[in-house]
Amino acid sequence: MAKKKVLVTGGAGFIGGNFVQYMVKKYPQYDIYNLDLLTYAGDLMKHKEIESEENYHFVKADITDRETIIPLFENEKFDCVVHFAAESHVDRSITDPEIFVKTNVLGTQVLLDSAKQIGVSKFLHVSTDEVYGELDFDPNTFFTEDTPLQPNSPYSASKASSDLLVRAYHETFGLPINITRCSNNYGPFHFPEKLIPLTISRVLKDQKIPVYGDGKNIRDWLHVLDHCAAIDLVLHEGENGEVYNVGGHNECTNLEVVQTIISALGKSEELIEFVTDRLGHDKRYAIDPSKLEQLGWKPTYTFETGIAQTIQWYLDNKEWWEQIISGEYKNYFETQYTL
Ligand code: NAD
Ligand code: TDX
């Protein structure tokens, strides 16, 4: 019997990369195709361990390039698509929104057209809790799947637009879809422009940590491997057309996150530097994951266990992140921060 073909877009990035590794190891009976453009955020160094596995395949392509993507789907006849590829950094969307619209909106539409043309059995769109906007600091309020979409940044507006297109292809053309909306991920291979890996890599070099505003904004942290398990479950068991929120009830202020990392690495809080706030900075995100829990998902990490594992991973894998922060990233950091 032919192997099931699973296309993963953005599989050279942080979450997609973890998901590709998870799937290649867990499902030898599937062929996993990693399609990625290898932008600044993608690399193949992370896949050294799986690159020679028989069920792993890499395709370098741009999801916005219709002339390449449609024939690729026609030739390969993928059974299902798990769509991670995106521009993902809120700060970059504030300085340069256009690429976010191109990749996140038009790229998703090209994939939807391709999936519709060959008739995939599932199109799983990986979205974000940021499409719901922000919550206030009342700890009893959460995002549910019914919370109205009120995105505040160009990034989250582009993700919300892509969610609406995915929904429309289901309603209009009957494309079998799911949308997952997760909270902030962290864990191995997290790109060091994001708060947690930025803090770990800079604390290890005794460099200042830029904390935006007063550091009181809250994020709900989800370990990337718990996220991979959630996507696996939705891919196999998700009800057609449904949205599932993914989050682990791990709310922390940004200042708490930075202090935890500094303390775990035995350094001084004098490294903290409060800097100008992010424009339109969302106050708080918090997920109600009960719909996904009813499907059978439960996170295995608390923030305590997950951050300890993540810090250890960055200590053990300096080669990977040192290579990244010495490249194009260096110019980005110098224009973004004045530390
Ligand atoms: P990332 O920035 O680490 O990786 C994105 C990947 O997409 C990279 O490998 C990049 O090369 C690829 N890519 C970008 N443009 C492309 C194009 N035109 N064609 C093909 N590939 C392209 O992102 P991430 O943090 O792994 O996020 C993955 C997905 O999860 C995104 O859709 C993001 O919106 C969503 N998400 C992320 C988080 C988080 O905390 N990181 C939380 C919620 C949702
Ligand atoms: O230098 C910093 N200082 C700082 O205080 C950076 C980079 C961030 N922050 C703050 C801003 C946020 O409140 O830390 C918090 C986390 O910031 P990011 O790591 O940039 O993540 P966030 O903006 O919350 O978005 C992330 O989670 C949701 C991902 O990048 C998105 O792709 C995802 O949709």
Side-chain angles (χ1 to χ4, degrees):
M1 207 175 74
K3 278 182 170 180
K4 190 166 175 171
K5 289 187 174 184
V6 180
L7 177 71
V8 180
T9 71
F14 164 46
I15 311 176
N18 276 280
F19 185 70
V20 162
Q21 293 176 9
Y22 170 104
M23 293 295 281
V24 165
K25 289 177 198 156
K26 182 166 176 186
Y27 295 108
Q29 71 273 33
Y30 293 176
D31 269 319
I32 309 299
Y33 288 77
N34 168 12
L35 184 154
D36 200 292
L37 182 58
L38 301 180
T39 67
Y40 81 92
D43 74 272
L44 295 178
M45 296 181 285
K46 57 170 61 89
H47 291 322
K48 266 193 220 130
E49 253 187 51
I50 56 156
E51 66 191 4
S52 54
E53 294 295 333
E54 246 176 58
N55 65 335
Y56 172 70
H57 311 272
F58 176 67
V59 184
K60 183 170 182 205
D62 182 344
I63 56 165
T64 70
D65 176 7
R66 185 173 287 273
E67 274 64 52
T68 302
I69 300 297
I70 295 220
L72 178 76
F73 272 66
E74 283 170 344
N75 290 336
E76 296 292 348
K77 302 269 185 298
F78 300 116
D79 293 286
C80 46
V81 179
V82 185
H83 176 34
F84 293 92
E87 287 294 332
S88 70
H89 192 32
V90 174
D91 290 329
R92 289 184 189 251
S93 83
I94 294 167
T95 43
D96 184 13
E98 194 169 335
I99 185 73
F100 283 74
V101 176
K102 183 176 180 221
T103 302
N104 299 358
V105 186
L106 293 179
T108 300
Q109 196 227 338
V110 169
L111 290 169
L112 286 166
D113 278 342
S114 310
K116 168 177 159 269
Q117 186 137 329
I118 64 162
V120 299
S121 63
K122 174 77 63 109
F123 188 100
L124 194 162
H125 178 61
V126 179
S127 189
T128 171
D129 58 1
E130 298 197 19
V131 298
Y132 298 124
E134 65 175 357
L135 293 165
D136 62 24
F137 292 113
D138 173 357
N140 299 312
T141 54
F142 298 98
F143 293 136
T144 73
E145 289 79 3
D146 297 325
T147 303
L149 303 191
Q150 281 186 318
N152 292 321
S153 72
Y155 161 70
S156 52
S158 70
K159 290 296 290 186
S161 309
S162 64
D163 288 20
L164 294 179
L165 277 173
V166 173
R167 183 192 135 83
Y169 273 63
H170 173 67
E171 296 295 329
T172 305
F173 305 114
L175 190 71
I177 64 105
N178 283 119
I179 298 174
T180 55
R181 297 188 179 131
C182 65
S183 58
N184 285 59
N185 282 221
Y186 68 105
F189 298 117
H190 202 180
F191 195 86
E193 67 188 348
K194 308 284 170 66
L195 181 67
I196 287 183
L198 180 142
T199 302
I200 300 173
S201 57
R202 289 184 68 82
V203 169
L204 285 173
K205 289 178 181 292
D206 292 309
Q207 292 168 331
K208 291 279 185 191
I209 312 305
V211 173
Y212 297 161
D214 59 10
K216 291 194 177 136
N217 301 61
I218 290 175
R219 297 293 182 263
D220 182 358
W221 294 96
L222 171 69
H223 193 279
V224 66
L225 294 179
D226 282 332
H227 187 197
C228 290
I231 292 177
D232 179 12
L233 180 67
V234 173
L235 184 64
H236 291 94
E237 308 286 340
E239 203 180 313
N240 195 7
E242 290 296 307
V243 176
Y244 295 92
N245 284 352
V246 195
H249 284 304
N250 283 306
E251 289 183 54
C252 296
T253 67
N254 295 334
L255 194 54
E256 284 164 349
V257 168
V258 171
Q259 286 167 332
T260 303
I261 296 170
I262 289 176
S263 152
L265 290 170
K267 298 289 175 87
S268 158
E269 288 194 10
E270 280 173 19
L271 288 177
I272 295 172
E273 184 154 328
F274 292 96
V275 300
T276 312
D277 209 354
R278 174 184 278 174
L279 294 177
H281 196 175
D282 285 337
K283 284 201 272 295
R284 173 173 168 258
Y285 306 139
I287 288 271
D288 172 357
S290 43
K291 184 171 171 184
L292 189 64
E293 283 170 352
Q294 275 160 26
L295 201 66
W297 178 80
K298 211 167 64 188
T300 58
Y301 288 91
T302 60
F303 187 67
E304 230 177 18
T305 57
I307 197 68
Q309 182 261 13
T310 302
I311 293 171
Q312 191 57 49
W313 188 90
Y314 277 81
L315 286 167
D316 296 341
N317 291 274
K318 274 193 183 152
E319 204 189 329
W320 177 77
W321 58 264
E322 289 273 14
Q323 210 153 323
I324 283 168
I325 60 177
S326 63
E328 189 262 353
Y329 174 80
K330 223 169 157 187
N331 300 334
Y332 163 77
F333 196 90
E334 278 158 16
T335 33
Q336 179 71 21
Y337 300 95
T338 48
L339 292 177

